Amino acid sequence: MPDARSPRVLLILALGVISFTFAPILVRWADNAPGLAIAAWRNVFAVLLLAPVAAVRIRDEVRRFDRRDVLLITLAGFFLGLHFITWIESLYHTTVASASVLVTTSPIFLAALGFVVLGERLAWRTLAGVGVAVGGAVLIGWGDAAAGVNLPVSGKGAMWGNGLALSASLLVSVYLLIGRVVRQKVSWLAYVFPLYAVSALTTVVAAWGMGTPLLGYDLAFYGLCGAMALGPQVIGHGAFNYGVQFLPATLVGMLALLEPVGASALAFLFFREVPPLIAVAGMLIVLGGVSLVVWTRRSGEPVDA
């Protein structure tokens, strides 16, 4: 089993971060449909992608699950489904940069939850790096809001969208924290397949309850949902669920702070959402904070006190 500094672990997490940067772009391209429909089909396609392998490889392991395993995975899947619903909907009411920034404030929630629930304590340089990165992320959102970027999708307003994105951050924090516990004894596939199945059920039931149709869209919509399932979900969330076996959930969540940098750049490329100078400064600060954490780990300073 690789340790926390293994190139394999770091490479998988890097691929996860890269795939996350495309998530808001794919949602925007599919925004001719309700956010609930996007969330539901993204999850359904993720389950379908993993089903053939899962049916062969995890049957025996799943049969050995105890009640605690089932309860924790069900809760994690429920929170993940709610995360997708709130975050995707946020992109209908605020900019890509703001939504990406606020959803990556999870290190704040994870640091608090990890300390209270798991007793995880982080080295001071790691905490400083997280603080710097979060500060940079706030600058990105502040600059984006001050610039008054016109949105291609009208909604209830940026305040509503930002609130949804912040809620999504809290939900993903709880889901990652549960994953940190479960992954100590459950293999990656045996965790993520039922996790995505519960998440899919959560989003489908929510769509049904809200009267959101799931059929009748064009092929491009289903293709984009499939791309979200393969990229940001199977690769992105899959990478983070792999990483929480070896790293504290706070550090894994901190890596998501790189998403606003890539997402803002892609939003400029595809939607001409131009970040102001203050947002660019925030991106550089985010990178500095991440570099501080990486340097801390490479220098051998222990993560857990």
Side-chain angles (χ1 to χ4, degrees), residues 73-116:
I73 293 173
T74 300
L75 284 174
F78 175 69
F79 285 120
L80 180 60
L82 293 181
H83 160 76
F84 287 133
I85 292 170
T86 52
W87 181 74
I88 289 174
E89 184 64 23
S90 75
L91 288 165
Y92 285 64
H93 307 285
T94 190
T95 61
V96 166
S98 291
S100 299
V101 165
L102 290 171
V103 82
T104 54
T105 56
S106 59
I108 298 173
F109 297 113
L110 283 167
L113 292 171
F115 174 76
V116 173

Side-chain angles (χ1 to χ4, degrees), residues 208-235:
W208 175 78
M210 296 294 292
T212 302
L214 297 179
L215 301 176
Y217 304 106
D218 57 29
L219 288 178
F221 167 80
Y222 296 106
L224 288 168
C225 290
M228 290 179 224
L230 177 60
Q233 186 143 343
V234 173
I235 297 177

Side-chain angles (χ1 to χ4, degrees), residues 277-300:
L277 287 178
I278 192 171
V280 174
M283 295 176 193
L284 295 175
I285 291 173
V286 168
L287 292 173
V290 173
S291 298
L292 178 58
V293 173
V294 172
W295 172 70
T296 297
R297 296 197 60 75
R298 287 179 63 87
S299 66

Side-chain angles (χ1 to χ4, degrees), residues 167-277:
S167 299
S169 178
L170 174 59
L171 291 164
V172 82
S173 300
V174 177
Y175 135 75
L176 280 175
L177 198 65
I178 295 173
R180 169 73 169 162
V181 175
V182 178
R183 284 283 287 122
Q184 301 310 306
K185 58 175 291 191
V186 176
S187 70
W188 178 82
L189 187 58
Y191 175 61
V192 299
F193 182 72
L195 173 80
Y196 292 167
V198 174
S199 181
L201 180 61
T202 300
T203 53
V204 168
V205 169
W208 175 78
M210 296 294 292
T212 302
L214 297 179
L215 301 176
Y217 304 106
D218 57 29
L219 288 178
F221 167 80
Y222 296 106
L224 288 168
C225 290
M228 290 179 224
L230 177 60
Q233 186 143 343
V234 173
I235 297 177
H237 282 273
F240 277 34
N241 283 313
Y242 177 82
V244 291
Q245 182 179 7
F246 310 102
L247 296 167
T250 304
L251 289 183
V252 175
M254 184 277 307
L255 292 175
L257 286 165
L258 291 171
E259 178 189 337
V261 180
S264 296
L266 291 174
F268 168 73
L269 178 64
F270 294 115
F271 308 127
R272 291 296 182 264
E273 288 186 6
V274 181
L277 287 178

